[in-house]
Amino acid sequence: MSSEQIWLAAGGAVALLLLLTVLVLATVVRRSSRSRADLAERVAALEATVGALQAARVPEPRDEPASYVITAVADDGPGEPETSRVVEGRIDGALFADIVARESVIKAAGLAHGLRRALAPEARNRIRFEVRQETRRSRKQRRADLKAALRDMQARERARTQAQTAERGDEGDAA
Protein backbone atom coordinates (compact mmCIF):
# COMPACT_ATOMS: atom_id res chain seq x y z
CA MET A 1 0.00 0.00 0.00
CA SER A 2 1.40 3.37 -0.99
CA SER A 3 1.29 6.52 1.11
CA GLU A 4 -1.31 8.04 -1.24
CA GLN A 5 -3.64 5.10 -0.62
CA ILE A 6 -3.15 5.41 3.15
CA TRP A 7 -3.96 9.15 3.03
CA LEU A 8 -6.99 8.44 0.86
CA ALA A 9 -8.26 5.78 3.31
CA ALA A 10 -7.65 8.11 6.29
CA GLY A 11 -9.50 10.97 4.55
CA GLY A 12 -12.42 8.65 3.75
CA ALA A 13 -12.57 7.49 7.39
CA VAL A 14 -12.60 11.10 8.62
CA ALA A 15 -15.34 12.01 6.13
CA LEU A 16 -17.39 8.99 7.23
CA LEU A 17 -16.91 9.96 10.89
CA LEU A 18 -18.04 13.54 10.17
CA LEU A 19 -21.08 12.23 8.29
CA LEU A 20 -22.06 9.99 11.23
CA THR A 21 -21.60 12.89 13.66
CA VAL A 22 -23.86 15.14 11.56
CA LEU A 23 -26.53 12.41 11.38
CA VAL A 24 -26.46 11.83 15.14
CA LEU A 25 -26.72 15.56 15.86
CA ALA A 26 -29.62 15.88 13.42
CA THR A 27 -31.56 13.10 15.16
CA VAL A 28 -30.86 14.64 18.57
CA VAL A 29 -32.11 18.05 17.41
CA ARG A 30 -35.20 16.47 15.83
CA ARG A 31 -36.01 14.56 19.03
CA SER A 32 -35.55 17.63 21.23
CA SER A 33 -37.85 19.67 18.99
CA ARG A 34 -40.45 16.90 19.19
CA SER A 35 -40.14 16.72 22.97
CA ARG A 36 -40.46 20.52 23.18
CA ALA A 37 -43.63 20.37 21.11
CA ASP A 38 -45.01 17.58 23.31
CA LEU A 39 -44.06 19.55 26.38
CA ALA A 40 -45.80 22.67 25.05
CA GLU A 41 -48.98 20.64 24.38
CA ARG A 42 -48.90 19.18 27.90
CA VAL A 43 -48.39 22.61 29.46
CA ALA A 44 -51.34 23.96 27.50
CA ALA A 45 -53.53 21.03 28.63
CA LEU A 46 -52.50 21.53 32.27
CA GLU A 47 -53.22 25.26 32.07
CA ALA A 48 -56.67 24.49 30.67
CA THR A 49 -57.33 22.02 33.51
CA VAL A 50 -56.16 24.53 36.13
CA GLY A 51 -58.37 27.21 34.58
CA ALA A 52 -61.38 24.87 34.68
CA LEU A 53 -60.71 24.00 38.32
CA GLN A 54 -60.37 27.63 39.30
CA ALA A 55 -63.62 28.40 37.52
CA ALA A 56 -65.43 25.62 39.41
CA ARG A 57 -63.88 26.75 42.69
CA VAL A 58 -64.64 24.11 45.26
CA PRO A 59 -65.78 25.52 48.63
CA GLU A 60 -63.26 25.05 51.42
CA PRO A 61 -64.12 22.46 54.09
CA ARG A 62 -65.43 23.71 57.41
CA ASP A 63 -63.40 23.36 60.55
CA GLU A 64 -65.59 20.74 62.23
CA PRO A 65 -63.89 18.29 64.55
CA ALA A 66 -63.96 14.76 63.24
CA SER A 67 -65.87 12.36 65.46
CA TYR A 68 -63.45 9.49 64.86
CA VAL A 69 -60.30 11.15 66.24
CA ILE A 70 -58.95 9.25 69.24
CA THR A 71 -57.78 11.64 71.92
CA ALA A 72 -57.36 9.20 74.81
CA VAL A 73 -57.02 5.47 75.17
CA ALA A 74 -59.05 5.27 78.35
CA ASP A 75 -60.91 7.51 80.76
CA ASP A 76 -58.17 7.07 83.38
CA GLY A 77 -56.80 10.02 85.22
CA PRO A 78 -53.42 11.45 84.25
CA GLY A 79 -51.47 9.49 86.88
CA GLU A 80 -53.49 6.31 86.71
CA PRO A 81 -52.34 3.62 84.26
CA GLU A 82 -54.85 1.71 82.19
CA THR A 83 -53.92 -1.64 83.74
CA SER A 84 -55.15 -0.55 87.17
CA ARG A 85 -58.78 -0.47 85.99
CA VAL A 86 -60.96 -3.19 87.35
CA VAL A 87 -63.35 -4.86 84.95
CA GLU A 88 -66.76 -5.02 86.49
CA GLY A 89 -68.80 -8.16 86.19
CA ARG A 90 -67.85 -11.70 85.40
CA ILE A 91 -66.42 -12.91 82.13
CA ASP A 92 -68.06 -16.05 80.93
CA GLY A 93 -65.93 -19.15 80.26
CA ALA A 94 -66.10 -18.98 76.46
CA LEU A 95 -64.87 -15.38 76.37
CA PHE A 96 -62.10 -16.16 78.86
CA ALA A 97 -60.98 -19.20 76.81
CA ASP A 98 -61.04 -17.09 73.64
CA ILE A 99 -58.88 -14.38 75.24
CA VAL A 100 -56.39 -16.92 76.62
CA ALA A 101 -56.24 -18.76 73.30
CA ARG A 102 -55.64 -15.56 71.36
CA GLU A 103 -52.85 -14.45 73.68
CA SER A 104 -51.25 -17.89 73.51
CA VAL A 105 -51.44 -17.97 69.73
CA ILE A 106 -49.93 -14.48 69.49
CA LYS A 107 -47.08 -15.41 71.84
CA ALA A 108 -46.45 -18.69 70.00
CA ALA A 109 -46.45 -16.90 66.64
CA GLY A 110 -43.98 -14.32 67.98
CA LEU A 111 -41.74 -17.06 69.36
CA ALA A 112 -41.88 -19.00 66.08
CA HIS A 113 -41.04 -15.87 64.11
CA GLY A 114 -38.11 -15.07 66.39
CA LEU A 115 -36.77 -18.63 66.19
CA ARG A 116 -37.17 -18.72 62.42
CA ARG A 117 -35.29 -15.45 62.15
CA ALA A 118 -32.59 -16.45 64.62
CA LEU A 119 -32.02 -19.80 62.94
CA ALA A 120 -31.97 -18.37 59.41
CA PRO A 121 -28.82 -19.19 57.43
CA GLU A 122 -27.80 -15.52 57.21
CA ALA A 123 -27.98 -15.11 60.98
CA ARG A 124 -26.06 -18.32 61.63
CA ASN A 125 -23.36 -17.31 59.12
CA ARG A 126 -23.10 -13.84 60.65
CA ILE A 127 -22.81 -15.28 64.16
CA ARG A 128 -20.23 -17.84 63.01
CA PHE A 129 -18.21 -15.06 61.35
CA GLU A 130 -18.31 -12.85 64.45
CA VAL A 131 -17.36 -15.72 66.77
CA ARG A 132 -14.43 -16.65 64.51
CA GLN A 133 -13.33 -13.02 64.35
CA GLU A 134 -13.55 -12.62 68.14
CA THR A 135 -11.64 -15.89 68.67
CA ARG A 136 -8.83 -14.69 66.39
CA ARG A 137 -8.73 -11.34 68.17
CA SER A 138 -8.55 -12.94 71.62
CA ARG A 139 -5.78 -15.35 70.51
CA LYS A 140 -3.80 -12.43 69.13
CA GLN A 141 -4.32 -10.50 72.38
CA ARG A 142 -3.26 -13.52 74.48
CA ARG A 143 -0.09 -13.94 72.41
CA ALA A 144 0.72 -10.23 72.78
CA ASP A 145 0.12 -10.41 76.56
CA LEU A 146 2.29 -13.52 76.84
CA LYS A 147 5.13 -11.87 74.88
CA ALA A 148 4.89 -8.74 77.03
CA ALA A 149 4.96 -10.81 80.24
CA LEU A 150 7.94 -12.83 78.93
CA ARG A 151 9.85 -9.64 78.05
CA ASP A 152 9.06 -8.20 81.49
CA MET A 153 10.25 -11.38 83.22
CA GLN A 154 13.46 -11.45 81.16
CA ALA A 155 14.10 -7.78 81.96
CA ARG A 156 13.66 -8.44 85.69
CA GLU A 157 15.96 -11.46 85.47
CA ARG A 158 18.63 -9.38 83.70
CA ALA A 159 18.29 -6.63 86.28
CA ARG A 160 18.64 -9.18 89.12
CA THR A 161 21.74 -10.80 87.58
CA GLN A 162 23.30 -7.37 86.95
CA ALA A 163 22.62 -6.38 90.55
CA GLN A 164 24.18 -9.63 91.79
CA THR A 165 27.28 -9.16 89.63
CA ALA A 166 27.57 -5.56 90.79
CA GLU A 167 27.42 -6.69 94.45
CA ARG A 168 30.10 -9.30 93.82
CA GLY A 169 32.21 -6.71 92.09
CA ASP A 170 31.87 -4.32 95.06
CA GLU A 171 32.82 -7.12 97.49
CA GLY A 172 35.89 -7.99 95.41
CA ASP A 173 37.04 -4.34 95.42
CA ALA A 174 36.54 -4.01 99.18
CA ALA A 175 38.65 -7.13 100.00
Side-chain angles (χ1 to χ4, degrees):
M1 219 179 199
S2 68
S3 63
E4 290 177 8
Q5 290 174 336
I6 292 173
W7 283 107
L8 186 63
V14 169
L16 183 63
L17 185 63
L18 286 173
L19 180 65
L20 285 174
T21 305
V22 168
L23 287 174
V24 167
L25 286 174
T27 56
V28 168
V29 169
R30 193 177 309 137
R31 282 185 184 168
S32 67
S33 65
R34 283 184 197 162
S35 64
R36 285 184 185 155
D38 290 341
L39 185 62
E41 289 174 12
R42 288 182 183 175
V43 167
L46 280 174
E47 287 176 350
T49 306
V50 168
L53 286 175
Q54 285 178 346
R57 193 112 205 193
V58 179
E60 302 216 1
R62 297 181 191 141
D63 291 335
E64 294 179 14
S67 60
Y68 58 85
V69 175
I70 299 173
T71 57
V73 174
D75 293 335
D76 296 338
E80 189 177 317
E82 181 185 344
T83 56
S84 67
R85 281 192 317 173
V86 177
V87 178
E88 295 179 13
R90 291 186 70 105
I91 298 176
D92 64 333
L95 180 60
F96 178 75
D98 184 48
I99 291 171
V100 170
R102 284 185 186 181
E103 287 180 9
S104 300
V105 167
I106 290 171
K107 287 181 182 179
L111 178 65
H113 174 71
L115 283 174
R116 190 178 326 117
R117 195 166 170 202
L119 297 176
E122 306 92 38
R124 289 195 322 257
N125 289 339
R126 181 180 41 81
I127 291 168
R128 189 178 303 123
F129 172 76
E130 289 177 4
V131 165
R132 202 177 308 133
Q133 195 174 23
E134 182 61 24
T135 304
R136 288 177 185 161
R137 189 203 60 76
S138 65
R139 282 183 195 151
K140 205 174 188 180
Q141 184 64 41
R142 249 184 278 132
R143 279 190 221 116
D145 291 345
L146 183 64
K147 286 180 180 179
L150 191 59
R151 279 193 298 267
D152 187 44
M153 186 182 75
Q154 289 171 348
R156 287 181 188 174
E157 191 66 33
R158 276 193 305 270
R160 189 178 320 134
T161 57
Q162 286 176 356
Q164 287 174 353
T165 56
E167 286 177 14
R168 286 184 193 154
D170 288 341
E171 290 175 6
D173 291 340

